[in-house]
Amino acid sequence: MAGMFDLDATIIRNEIPLTEKFMPQNLLHREGQMQYLASCLKPVVAGRTPRNVFLFGSTGVGKTSLLTWMFEELEDTTDNVKTVYVNCWQNTTPHAIVSKIVSDLKIFTNPKKQTKELLEDLNAYLSRYDKKMILALDEVDRIQDYDILYDFTRSGYGLVLISNDEFALIDVDQRIKSSLSLETVEFKGYTVNEMFDILKDRCDHAFMVGAITDPLIKIAALNADGDARVGIEILRKAALFAEDESKKIIDKEHIIKAKKDALHLKTSQILGTLTKEHKILYNLIGKKENITSTDLFAEYKTITTTPISERTYRKYMTQLVTLRLVKADGDVRWRNYSL
């Protein structure tokens, strides 16, 4: 069994660049979004209220990475501001959101207080230390009560709202929309050449020299379909497959095998964040090569005792398409769905 733990065939010299923890020094191919977001947040440096922003785009296009990078830069530039990031899938209620903010800022208070009282404690803290608040709410469409957004704007917070869905806030009350006065920043999927640059940068940080060739990075970029998370996961899995075979170089077969695993992981992770109804609809489509919207909704209603409304059904299907879990062909009335 000699050589079982031999490190001669190691490909990965630093695994962090192949994870979501890694924050590159330069965010490639997001210069326009970076400049626009910076212009919206810049007033806080002068002690003024920043402009509220809505960031949208599918998964793996750099929304959260850019925001994290921007918050770090902002707090390094000025001590006028406190920044907090909240994922609204994990914190869906106003009380959970405000509690998360209070916890992150280490404000001493009773967490069993009502939401209004916690918000008063939070505002008192900001006033006492003369700080402005910039609050990022990721997956904002998961919030159960959008009135909390109105409360935040009335408190003078700068808001960065994030969603995969361009129309996530379409049903928000007009009173709240007016108070938000949102600037909008779109994040499109990366092109193949942009993805190549991103993956090449990660390889340079993560792999031993010569462990992968540029043509293979290009194949990974092609198979990522504009999603950096998928592309990075392809690289990570391909490297592990090569190491399992005691090889020092990644080959094409490793990339192809890794693609299947990466796409399966992405689908599983996204479905894990969705509702039971999303999953039922997805699984029904998976049982058919192709199904019309009318037939899908009719079949869905036969297998559930409390079906969602047709309007909610259309909203959920739009979300599945936006997340690239489902493909759609045809106009709204005669739409066909497939995986």
Side-chain angles (χ1 to χ4, degrees), residues 1 7 14 32 43 52 60 74 76 80-81 86 97 100 110 115 123 145-146 183 197 199 201 206 218 262 283 291:
M1 304 297 288
L7 295 179
N14 181 4
N52 298 324
L74 190 58
D76 285 344
N80 292 340
V81 66
V86 179
I97 292 168
K100 176 69 163 59
N110 184 351
T115 304
N123 290 338
D145 184 354
Y146 287 117
E183 306 279 345
D197 292 340
L199 298 186
D201 182 64
K218 192 79 166 187
N283 289 329
I291 187 170

Side-chain angles (χ1 to χ4, degrees), residues 69-218:
W69 187 90
M70 190 68 70
F71 273 8
E72 289 180 359
E73 286 290 308
L74 190 58
E75 292 207 357
D76 285 344
T77 301
T78 179
D79 58 5
N80 292 340
V81 66
K82 288 291 184 180
T83 62
V84 177
Y85 169 91
V86 179
N87 187 302
C88 298
W89 174 62
Q90 299 168 340
N91 304 275
T92 61
T93 66
H95 189 273
I97 292 168
V98 178
S99 294
K100 176 69 163 59
I101 300 168
V102 167
S103 174
D104 282 5
L105 295 179
K106 297 180 173 57
I107 299 172
F108 182 76
T109 186
N110 184 351
K112 293 183 179 180
K113 285 184 176 181
Q114 296 294 316
T115 304
K116 181 180 178 181
E117 294 175 307
L118 285 176
L119 191 58
E120 288 172 352
D121 288 347
L122 173 57
N123 290 338
Y125 167 87
L126 294 170
S127 177
R128 182 163 63 251
Y129 292 101
D130 195 22
K131 302 290 185 181
K132 289 287 186 181
M133 164 69 77
I134 299 182
L135 174 62
L137 298 174
D138 204 349
E139 300 191 67
V140 66
D141 42 316
R142 299 306 182 91
I143 295 178
Q144 293 181 13
D145 184 354
Y146 287 117
D147 281 349
I148 191 63
L149 299 180
Y150 184 73
D151 294 334
F152 287 149
T153 58
R154 289 193 62 187
S155 297
Y157 299 180
L159 299 179
V160 182
L161 310 181
I162 310 171
S163 177
N164 296 324
D165 184 0
E166 178 181 1
F167 304 105
L169 303 174
I170 195 169
D171 294 326
V172 173
D173 186 270
Q174 188 58 46
R175 169 183 63 95
I176 299 173
K177 286 182 181 178
S178 297
S179 72
L180 290 170
S181 187
L182 289 168
E183 306 279 345
T184 302
V185 182
E186 180 180 7
F187 286 69
K188 294 183 178 180
Y190 294 107
T191 67
V192 173
N193 288 335
E194 289 172 345
M195 184 64 68
F196 172 82
D197 292 340
I198 292 167
L199 298 186
K200 173 72 171 174
D201 182 64
R202 295 298 179 104
C203 289
D204 290 344
H205 283 90
F207 293 161
M208 303 293 286
V209 175
I212 188 170
T213 63
D214 283 358
L216 288 184
I217 299 175
K218 192 79 166 187

Side-chain angles (χ1 to χ4, degrees), residues 214-239:
D214 283 358
L216 288 184
I217 299 175
K218 192 79 166 187
I219 292 174
L222 280 164
N223 284 288
D225 193 26
D227 186 328
R229 292 179 186 173
V230 172
I232 293 165
E233 181 63 11
I234 290 173
L235 294 176
R236 189 184 75 85
K237 293 293 292 189

Side-chain angles (χ1 to χ4, degrees), residues 27-41 53 55-56 61-63 66-67 69-70 184-190 194:
L27 290 173
L28 300 174
H29 304 296
R30 285 294 177 248
E31 292 81 7
Q33 290 89 342
M34 184 185 300
Q35 291 299 322
Y36 197 90
L37 181 57
S39 72
C40 292
L41 302 184
V53 194
L55 312 181
F56 74 91
V61 293
K63 303 184 298 297
L66 175 58
L67 178 73
W69 187 90
M70 190 68 70
T184 302
V185 182
E186 180 180 7
F187 286 69
K188 294 183 178 180
Y190 294 107
E194 289 172 345

